[in-house]
Amino acid sequence: NAGVMQNPRHLVRRRGQEARLRCSPMKGHSHVYWYRQLPEEGLKFMVYLQKENIIDESGMPKERFSAEFPKEGPSILRIQQVVRGDSAAYFCASSLSTGSNEKLFFGSGTQLSVL
Amino acid sequence: DQQVKQNSPSLSVQEGRISILNCDYTNSMFDYFLWYKKYPAEGPTFLISISSIKDKNEDGRFTVFLNKSAKHLSLHIVPSQPGDSAVYFCAASGAQGAQKLVFGQGTRLTINP
């Protein structure tokens, strides 16, 4: 499967626990983006990463959220001390480059539920 | 601050007829617009796009129209098919980064047989 792979598909956490969401971009893609979709809303940009670098994290909440894209392995979105308001679908996307007409390819998402 | 708005949460269309989905934006710096289609439990998939230098782009049954003066775009699907039933998101990008998309809230399209 050459698509964007996200896991887990569903993640249940209790308030105060940590959530780790993983994303493997499409083969050959070195640009990764995380988006969040709250219920009944559109997707909202969170962060843009390249290998070992955070390029734009202007959409990330200031606390508890972090992201990385190491030299080896998948990109990780980490949410510490989760709260009920973190319940959402988290989508990862990747692109080959950042040209103006470059398309994003999205994964199937991770549905995070905080009890 | 909703920069991209899809004011119709849902739309129901008869199979074979035309589906028209609308989208409005407020940021005049947007210069690239896209439509994504999303099925339940899947990620959005790219459908069609248009650059701000054009006013129309066509791909098979799908046509996107852009009216820059009105800051409005629309997606036309004709003829509509049952497999078109999905949520459609309008998205825009601009100087802030081509891949830093701003999405609308989505319109759920249902095609009735």
Side-chain angles (χ1 to χ4, degrees):
Chain A
N1 188 340
V4 177
M5 302 300 293
Q6 287 188 250
N7 67 82
R9 289 296 303 273
H10 301 277
L11 183 60
V12 180
R13 285 287 177 266
R14 296 190 181 280
R15 279 179 296 171
Q17 291 184 320
E18 178 180 286
R20 281 186 177 238
L21 289 66
R22 287 177 291 278
C23 169
S24 295
M26 282 185 72
K27 189 175 182 180
H29 287 192
S30 59
H31 303 265
V32 166
Y33 313 83
W34 286 92
Y35 283 78
R36 175 167 68 172
Q37 184 185 19
L38 295 170
E40 306 303 320
E41 293 187 16
L43 285 75
K44 287 189 166 44
F45 170 81
M46 298 181 75
V47 62
Y48 161 36
L49 310 106
Q50 290 182 29
K51 284 285 187 182
E52 299 185 279
N53 287 304
I54 297 174
I55 306 302
D56 183 343
E57 57 180 348
S58 57
M60 288 278 269
K62 296 285 184 278
E63 297 176 347
R64 302 187 296 109
F65 284 71
S66 62
E68 62 177 8
F69 189 18
K71 188 176 179 181
E72 300 290 338
S75 175
I76 305 287
L77 179 67
R78 182 182 178 206
I79 311 172
Q80 295 178 289
Q81 299 174 340
V82 295
V83 300
R84 288 216 172 116
D86 297 333
S87 295
Y90 292 81
F91 291 97
C92 170
S94 71
S95 68
L96 188 60
S97 71
T98 57
S100 59
N101 294 335
E102 193 67 36
K103 299 177 187 60
L104 295 189
F105 293 87
F106 283 86
S108 298
T110 293
Q111 182 64 52
L112 173 65
S113 298
V114 180
L115 306 180
Chain B
D1 177 23
Q2 190 70 31
Q3 298 185 67
V4 177
K5 293 183 182 180
Q6 294 175 255
N7 292 318
S8 298
S10 63
L11 176 66
S12 187
V13 173
Q14 197 81 15
E15 181 179 359
R17 307 292 276 268
I18 184 171
S19 296
I20 300 176
L21 295 95
N22 294 302
C23 177
D24 298 293
Y25 62 96
T26 58
N27 190 338
S28 57
M29 298 303 291
F30 288 145
D31 58 8
Y32 192 57
F33 303 89
L34 310 91
W35 285 93
Y36 278 83
K37 176 179 179 180
K38 186 181 179 306
Y39 292 118
E42 294 185 13
T45 55
F46 171 78
L47 195 57
I48 193 169
S49 63
I50 187 167
S51 165
S52 60
I53 62 173
K54 294 186 174 183
D55 55 16
K56 177 182 174 182
N57 189 27
E58 191 171 353
D59 183 3
R61 296 186 298 113
F62 303 91
T63 303
V64 56
F65 295 92
L66 175 63
N67 182 334
K68 281 189 295 183
S69 61
K71 294 193 177 67
H72 176 84
L73 64 155
S74 61
L75 174 68
H76 293 210
I77 307 172
V78 57
S80 300
Q81 300 174 355
D84 296 330
S85 295
V87 177
Y88 289 78
F89 290 98
C90 167
S93 68
Q96 75 274 19
Q99 284 70 42
K100 188 175 174 179
L101 299 176
V102 180
F103 282 84
Q105 310 95 307
T107 296
R108 182 178 302 278
L109 175 65
T110 302
I111 305 301
N112 301 309

mmCIF file of all heavy atoms in Angstrom, chain A residues 9 33 35 37 42-43 56 58 91 98-99 101-104 106-107, chain B residues 2 32 36 38 41-44 46 89 98-101 103-105:
data_model
loop_
_atom_site.group_PDB
_atom_site.id
_atom_site.type_symbol
_atom_site.label_atom_id
_atom_site.label_comp_id
_atom_site.label_asym_id
_atom_site.label_seq_id
_atom_site.Cartn_x
_atom_site.Cartn_y
_atom_site.Cartn_z
ATOM 1 N N ARG A 9 -6.227 3.454 14.108
ATOM 2 C CA ARG A 9 -7.415 4.051 13.508
ATOM 3 C C ARG A 9 -8.304 4.660 14.584
ATOM 4 O O ARG A 9 -8.920 5.693 14.378
ATOM 5 C CB ARG A 9 -8.199 3.002 12.722
ATOM 6 C CG ARG A 9 -7.539 2.551 11.439
ATOM 7 C CD ARG A 9 -7.414 3.677 10.417
ATOM 8 N NE ARG A 9 -8.680 4.279 10.085
ATOM 9 C CZ ARG A 9 -9.498 3.851 9.137
ATOM 10 N NH1 ARG A 9 -9.169 2.812 8.401
ATOM 11 N NH2 ARG A 9 -10.634 4.474 8.893
ATOM 12 N N TYR A 33 2.026 16.770 7.112
ATOM 13 C CA TYR A 33 1.134 17.776 7.699
ATOM 14 C C TYR A 33 0.142 17.059 8.609
ATOM 15 O O TYR A 33 -0.328 15.968 8.285
ATOM 16 C CB TYR A 33 0.353 18.514 6.603
ATOM 17 C CG TYR A 33 1.220 18.958 5.455
ATOM 18 C CD1 TYR A 33 1.543 18.070 4.428
ATOM 19 C CD2 TYR A 33 1.724 20.249 5.385
ATOM 20 C CE1 TYR A 33 2.360 18.457 3.374
ATOM 21 C CE2 TYR A 33 2.530 20.646 4.328
ATOM 22 C CZ TYR A 33 2.842 19.740 3.328
ATOM 23 O OH TYR A 33 3.646 20.121 2.294
ATOM 24 N N TYR A 35 -3.597 17.595 10.471
ATOM 25 C CA TYR A 35 -4.821 18.379 10.538
ATOM 26 C C TYR A 35 -5.736 17.741 11.584
ATOM 27 O O TYR A 35 -5.697 16.523 11.812
ATOM 28 C CB TYR A 35 -5.551 18.379 9.188
ATOM 29 C CG TYR A 35 -4.959 19.297 8.148
ATOM 30 C CD1 TYR A 35 -3.811 18.944 7.450
ATOM 31 C CD2 TYR A 35 -5.562 20.516 7.856
ATOM 32 C CE1 TYR A 35 -3.270 19.796 6.485
ATOM 33 C CE2 TYR A 35 -5.032 21.373 6.897
ATOM 34 C CZ TYR A 35 -3.892 21.004 6.220
ATOM 35 O OH TYR A 35 -3.357 21.840 5.277
ATOM 36 N N GLN A 37 -9.865 17.505 12.859
ATOM 37 C CA GLN A 37 -11.253 17.774 12.533
ATOM 38 C C GLN A 37 -12.100 17.537 13.775
ATOM 39 O O GLN A 37 -12.275 16.398 14.213
ATOM 40 C CB GLN A 37 -11.751 16.886 11.381
ATOM 41 C CG GLN A 37 -13.168 17.227 10.955
ATOM 42 C CD GLN A 37 -13.724 16.297 9.904
ATOM 43 O OE1 GLN A 37 -13.240 15.191 9.699
ATOM 44 N NE2 GLN A 37 -14.768 16.743 9.218
ATOM 45 N N GLY A 42 -14.763 21.643 9.699
ATOM 46 C CA GLY A 42 -13.794 21.275 8.686
ATOM 47 C C GLY A 42 -12.454 20.959 9.319
ATOM 48 O O GLY A 42 -12.252 21.113 10.514
ATOM 49 N N LEU A 43 -11.544 20.495 8.487
ATOM 50 C CA LEU A 43 -10.205 20.183 8.970
ATOM 51 C C LEU A 43 -9.437 21.474 9.237
ATOM 52 O O LEU A 43 -9.540 22.439 8.466
ATOM 53 C CB LEU A 43 -9.441 19.353 7.936
ATOM 54 C CG LEU A 43 -9.820 17.884 7.799
ATOM 55 C CD1 LEU A 43 -11.137 17.707 7.067
ATOM 56 C CD2 LEU A 43 -8.711 17.126 7.090
ATOM 57 N N ASP A 56 6.311 24.675 10.275
ATOM 58 C CA ASP A 56 5.237 25.603 10.628
ATOM 59 C C ASP A 56 4.346 24.921 11.653
ATOM 60 O O ASP A 56 3.747 23.910 11.352
ATOM 61 C CB ASP A 56 4.444 25.969 9.362
ATOM 62 C CG ASP A 56 3.341 26.984 9.620
ATOM 63 O OD1 ASP A 56 2.945 27.199 10.782
ATOM 64 O OD2 ASP A 56 2.843 27.561 8.636
ATOM 65 N N SER A 58 2.086 26.774 13.496
ATOM 66 C CA SER A 58 1.202 27.866 13.892
ATOM 67 C C SER A 58 -0.190 27.394 14.290
ATOM 68 O O SER A 58 -0.913 28.112 14.963
ATOM 69 C CB SER A 58 1.096 28.885 12.744
ATOM 70 O OG SER A 58 0.633 28.264 11.570
ATOM 71 N N PHE A 91 -5.956 13.885 11.123
ATOM 72 C CA PHE A 91 -5.540 13.423 9.804
ATOM 73 C C PHE A 91 -4.113 13.867 9.522
ATOM 74 O O PHE A 91 -3.735 15.008 9.785
ATOM 75 C CB PHE A 91 -6.460 13.986 8.717
ATOM 76 C CG PHE A 91 -7.853 13.422 8.758
ATOM 77 C CD1 PHE A 91 -8.869 14.112 9.407
ATOM 78 C CD2 PHE A 91 -8.143 12.206 8.166
ATOM 79 C CE1 PHE A 91 -10.158 13.600 9.455
ATOM 80 C CE2 PHE A 91 -9.428 11.684 8.205
ATOM 81 C CZ PHE A 91 -10.434 12.373 8.854
ATOM 82 N N THR A 98 6.590 21.227 -2.182
ATOM 83 C CA THR A 98 5.722 22.303 -1.700
ATOM 84 C C THR A 98 5.401 23.292 -2.805
ATOM 85 O O THR A 98 5.162 24.451 -2.555
ATOM 86 C CB THR A 98 6.369 23.051 -0.520
ATOM 87 O OG1 THR A 98 7.655 23.544 -0.950
ATOM 88 C CG2 THR A 98 6.541 22.143 0.668
ATOM 89 N N GLY A 99 5.408 22.827 -4.029
ATOM 90 C CA GLY A 99 5.026 23.679 -5.145
ATOM 91 C C GLY A 99 3.591 24.143 -5.008
ATOM 92 O O GLY A 99 2.790 23.536 -4.315
ATOM 93 N N ASN A 101 1.035 24.004 -6.812
ATOM 94 C CA ASN A 101 -0.033 23.101 -7.224
ATOM 95 C C ASN A 101 0.145 21.692 -6.668
ATOM 96 O O ASN A 101 -0.513 20.759 -7.122
ATOM 97 C CB ASN A 101 -0.098 23.035 -8.753
ATOM 98 C CG ASN A 101 -0.509 24.367 -9.344
ATOM 99 O OD1 ASN A 101 -1.161 25.168 -8.690
ATOM 100 N ND2 ASN A 101 -0.106 24.620 -10.561
ATOM 101 N N GLU A 102 1.033 21.562 -5.706
ATOM 102 C CA GLU A 102 1.298 20.240 -5.145
ATOM 103 C C GLU A 102 0.118 19.799 -4.290
ATOM 104 O O GLU A 102 -0.368 20.538 -3.429
ATOM 105 C CB GLU A 102 2.569 20.276 -4.296
ATOM 106 C CG GLU A 102 3.090 18.903 -3.925
ATOM 107 C CD GLU A 102 3.606 18.115 -5.115
ATOM 108 O OE1 GLU A 102 4.185 18.716 -6.025
ATOM 109 O OE2 GLU A 102 3.424 16.880 -5.121
ATOM 110 N N LYS A 103 -0.357 18.588 -4.524
ATOM 111 C CA LYS A 103 -1.531 18.111 -3.807
ATOM 112 C C LYS A 103 -1.122 17.406 -2.518
ATOM 113 O O LYS A 103 -0.055 16.814 -2.419
ATOM 114 C CB LYS A 103 -2.319 17.142 -4.689
ATOM 115 C CG LYS A 103 -2.821 17.761 -5.970
ATOM 116 C CD LYS A 103 -3.515 16.734 -6.818
ATOM 117 C CE LYS A 103 -3.874 17.300 -8.188
ATOM 118 N NZ LYS A 103 -2.709 17.755 -8.954
ATOM 119 N N LEU A 104 -2.027 17.468 -1.572
ATOM 120 C CA LEU A 104 -1.870 16.713 -0.339
ATOM 121 C C LEU A 104 -2.596 15.384 -0.474
ATOM 122 O O LEU A 104 -3.699 15.319 -1.003
ATOM 123 C CB LEU A 104 -2.463 17.473 0.844
ATOM 124 C CG LEU A 104 -1.819 18.784 1.259
ATOM 125 C CD1 LEU A 104 -2.416 19.258 2.571
ATOM 126 C CD2 LEU A 104 -0.323 18.653 1.370
ATOM 127 N N PHE A 106 -4.071 12.439 1.913
ATOM 128 C CA PHE A 106 -4.437 12.244 3.307
ATOM 129 C C PHE A 106 -4.513 10.776 3.670
ATOM 130 O O PHE A 106 -4.877 9.918 2.853
ATOM 131 C CB PHE A 106 -5.805 12.875 3.589
ATOM 132 C CG PHE A 106 -5.769 14.372 3.719
ATOM 133 C CD1 PHE A 106 -5.852 15.186 2.610
ATOM 134 C CD2 PHE A 106 -5.642 14.963 4.972
ATOM 135 C CE1 PHE A 106 -5.810 16.574 2.733
ATOM 136 C CE2 PHE A 106 -5.608 16.346 5.109
ATOM 137 C CZ PHE A 106 -5.691 17.143 3.985
ATOM 138 N N GLY A 107 -4.186 10.498 4.933
ATOM 139 C CA GLY A 107 -4.436 9.187 5.487
ATOM 140 C C GLY A 107 -5.880 9.070 5.939
ATOM 141 O O GLY A 107 -6.660 10.020 5.827
ATOM 142 N N GLN B 2 -13.897 32.256 10.426
ATOM 143 C CA GLN B 2 -14.098 31.241 9.410
ATOM 144 C C GLN B 2 -13.786 31.862 8.065
ATOM 145 O O GLN B 2 -14.629 32.563 7.482
ATOM 146 C CB GLN B 2 -15.548 30.742 9.480
ATOM 147 C CG GLN B 2 -15.827 29.518 8.650
ATOM 148 C CD GLN B 2 -15.183 28.263 9.188
ATOM 149 O OE1 GLN B 2 -15.000 28.112 10.394
ATOM 150 N NE2 GLN B 2 -14.818 27.358 8.313
ATOM 151 N N TYR B 32 -5.352 29.744 -4.511
ATOM 152 C CA TYR B 32 -5.490 28.374 -5.012
ATOM 153 C C TYR B 32 -6.606 27.720 -4.231
ATOM 154 O O TYR B 32 -6.639 27.814 -2.990
ATOM 155 C CB TYR B 32 -4.173 27.629 -4.826
ATOM 156 C CG TYR B 32 -4.082 26.301 -5.551
ATOM 157 C CD1 TYR B 32 -4.265 26.215 -6.922
ATOM 158 C CD2 TYR B 32 -3.776 25.135 -4.860
ATOM 159 C CE1 TYR B 32 -4.179 25.003 -7.580
ATOM 160 C CE2 TYR B 32 -3.680 23.927 -5.509
ATOM 161 C CZ TYR B 32 -3.876 23.857 -6.874
ATOM 162 O OH TYR B 32 -3.768 22.663 -7.526
ATOM 163 N N TYR B 36 -12.197 18.666 -1.945
ATOM 164 C CA TYR B 36 -11.889 17.324 -1.483
ATOM 165 C C TYR B 36 -13.200 16.609 -1.210
ATOM 166 O O TYR B 36 -14.191 17.205 -0.787
ATOM 167 C CB TYR B 36 -11.054 17.361 -0.197
ATOM 168 C CG TYR B 36 -9.574 17.563 -0.414
ATOM 169 C CD1 TYR B 36 -9.051 18.835 -0.605
ATOM 170 C CD2 TYR B 36 -8.700 16.482 -0.418
ATOM 171 C CE1 TYR B 36 -7.683 19.018 -0.795
ATOM 172 C CE2 TYR B 36 -7.338 16.654 -0.613
ATOM 173 C CZ TYR B 36 -6.843 17.924 -0.801
ATOM 174 O OH TYR B 36 -5.487 18.105 -0.998
ATOM 175 N N LYS B 38 -14.889 13.273 0.854
ATOM 176 C CA LYS B 38 -14.591 12.410 1.991
ATOM 177 C C LYS B 38 -15.733 11.434 2.244
ATOM 178 O O LYS B 38 -16.880 11.819 2.454
ATOM 179 C CB LYS B 38 -14.339 13.260 3.244
ATOM 180 C CG LYS B 38 -13.879 12.444 4.431
ATOM 181 C CD LYS B 38 -13.658 13.294 5.648
ATOM 182 C CE LYS B 38 -13.222 12.456 6.843
ATOM 183 N NZ LYS B 38 -14.130 11.343 7.137
ATOM 184 N N ALA B 41 -15.138 7.337 7.572
ATOM 185 C CA ALA B 41 -14.000 6.532 8.039
ATOM 186 C C ALA B 41 -12.823 6.537 7.065
ATOM 187 O O ALA B 41 -11.951 5.671 7.137
ATOM 188 C CB ALA B 41 -14.429 5.090 8.331
ATOM 189 N N GLU B 42 -12.805 7.484 6.160
ATOM 190 C CA GLU B 42 -11.658 7.628 5.261
ATOM 191 C C GLU B 42 -11.155 9.061 5.312
ATOM 192 O O GLU B 42 -11.845 9.969 5.776
ATOM 193 C CB GLU B 42 -12.052 7.284 3.821
ATOM 194 C CG GLU B 42 -12.417 5.833 3.614
ATOM 195 C CD GLU B 42 -12.684 5.517 2.151
ATOM 196 O OE1 GLU B 42 -12.352 6.353 1.278
ATOM 197 O OE2 GLU B 42 -13.225 4.437 1.895
ATOM 198 N N GLY B 43 -9.940 9.258 4.822
ATOM 199 C CA GLY B 43 -9.415 10.597 4.732
ATOM 200 C C GLY B 43 -9.938 11.305 3.497
ATOM 201 O O GLY B 43 -10.469 10.681 2.582
ATOM 202 N N PRO B 44 -9.823 12.630 3.451
ATOM 203 C CA PRO B 44 -10.254 13.366 2.263
ATOM 204 C C PRO B 44 -9.413 12.979 1.054
ATOM 205 O O PRO B 44 -8.204 12.746 1.174
ATOM 206 C CB PRO B 44 -9.992 14.828 2.649
ATOM 207 C CG PRO B 44 -9.859 14.839 4.135
ATOM 208 C CD PRO B 44 -9.300 13.515 4.510
ATOM 209 N N PHE B 46 -8.448 14.224 -2.921
ATOM 210 C CA PHE B 46 -8.465 15.364 -3.824
ATOM 211 C C PHE B 46 -9.399 15.101 -4.995
ATOM 212 O O PHE B 46 -9.429 14.001 -5.572
ATOM 213 C CB PHE B 46 -7.049 15.635 -4.330
ATOM 214 C CG PHE B 46 -6.995 16.650 -5.437
ATOM 215 C CD1 PHE B 46 -7.098 17.995 -5.151
ATOM 216 C CD2 PHE B 46 -6.869 16.246 -6.750
ATOM 217 C CE1 PHE B 46 -7.064 18.930 -6.173
ATOM 218 C CE2 PHE B 46 -6.835 17.160 -7.775
ATOM 219 C CZ PHE B 46 -6.931 18.510 -7.487
ATOM 220 N N PHE B 89 -15.520 18.969 0.850
ATOM 221 C CA PHE B 89 -14.871 20.098 1.512
ATOM 222 C C PHE B 89 -14.242 21.015 0.474
ATOM 223 O O PHE B 89 -13.516 20.568 -0.417
ATOM 224 C CB PHE B 89 -13.770 19.614 2.462
ATOM 225 C CG PHE B 89 -14.272 18.905 3.685
ATOM 226 C CD1 PHE B 89 -14.304 17.520 3.745
ATOM 227 C CD2 PHE B 89 -14.718 19.628 4.783
ATOM 228 C CE1 PHE B 89 -14.758 16.868 4.876
ATOM 229 C CE2 PHE B 89 -15.176 18.983 5.924
ATOM 230 C CZ PHE B 89 -15.202 17.595 5.969
ATOM 231 N N ALA B 98 1.341 26.741 0.268
ATOM 232 C CA ALA B 98 0.425 26.046 -0.634
ATOM 233 C C ALA B 98 -0.241 24.857 0.036
ATOM 234 O O ALA B 98 -1.337 24.467 -0.344
ATOM 235 C CB ALA B 98 1.178 25.600 -1.883
ATOM 236 N N GLN B 99 0.410 24.250 0.985
ATOM 237 C CA GLN B 99 -0.161 23.070 1.610
ATOM 238 C C GLN B 99 -0.804 23.386 2.958
ATOM 239 O O GLN B 99 -1.330 22.491 3.601
ATOM 240 C CB GLN B 99 0.914 21.997 1.785
ATOM 241 C CG GLN B 99 1.244 21.280 0.481
ATOM 242 C CD GLN B 99 1.978 22.170 -0.495
ATOM 243 O OE1 GLN B 99 2.873 22.916 -0.110
ATOM 244 N NE2 GLN B 99 1.604 22.121 -1.766
ATOM 245 N N LYS B 100 -0.779 24.629 3.370
ATOM 246 C CA LYS B 100 -1.443 25.001 4.615
ATOM 247 C C LYS B 100 -2.865 25.377 4.229
ATOM 248 O O LYS B 100 -3.207 26.546 4.054
ATOM 249 C CB LYS B 100 -0.718 26.174 5.269
ATOM 250 C CG LYS B 100 -1.204 26.509 6.666
ATOM 251 C CD LYS B 100 -0.313 27.598 7.250
ATOM 252 C CE LYS B 100 -0.843 28.085 8.582
ATOM 253 N NZ LYS B 100 0.049 29.122 9.148
ATOM 254 N N LEU B 101 -3.669 24.357 4.061
ATOM 255 C CA LEU B 101 -5.015 24.554 3.548
ATOM 256 C C LEU B 101 -5.960 25.041 4.631
ATOM 257 O O LEU B 101 -5.880 24.612 5.782
ATOM 258 C CB LEU B 101 -5.542 23.244 2.962
ATOM 259 C CG LEU B 101 -4.755 22.658 1.788
ATOM 260 C CD1 LEU B 101 -5.350 21.317 1.376
ATOM 261 C CD2 LEU B 101 -4.753 23.617 0.615
ATOM 262 N N PHE B 103 -9.873 24.896 5.356
ATOM 263 C CA PHE B 103 -11.035 24.134 4.913
ATOM 264 C C PHE B 103 -12.344 24.784 5.345
ATOM 265 O O PHE B 103 -12.433 25.408 6.412
ATOM 266 C CB PHE B 103 -10.994 22.718 5.514
ATOM 267 C CG PHE B 103 -10.056 21.775 4.838
ATOM 268 C CD1 PHE B 103 -8.710 21.755 5.180
ATOM 269 C CD2 PHE B 103 -10.506 20.887 3.868
ATOM 270 C CE1 PHE B 103 -7.825 20.878 4.566
ATOM 271 C CE2 PHE B 103 -9.634 20.005 3.256
ATOM 272 C CZ PHE B 103 -8.293 19.994 3.604
ATOM 273 N N GLY B 104 -13.359 24.574 4.521
ATOM 274 C CA GLY B 104 -14.718 24.877 4.931
ATOM 275 C C GLY B 104 -15.241 23.753 5.806
ATOM 276 O O GLY B 104 -14.556 22.754 6.051
ATOM 277 N N GLN B 105 -16.480 23.931 6.269
ATOM 278 C CA GLN B 105 -17.062 22.964 7.217
ATOM 279 C C GLN B 105 -17.562 21.703 6.534
ATOM 280 O O GLN B 105 -17.859 20.713 7.205
ATOM 281 C CB GLN B 105 -18.228 23.597 7.987
ATOM 282 C CG GLN B 105 -17.926 24.943 8.601
ATOM 283 C CD GLN B 105 -18.366 26.077 7.697
ATOM 284 O OE1 GLN B 105 -17.995 26.134 6.525
ATOM 285 N NE2 GLN B 105 -19.158 26.983 8.247
#
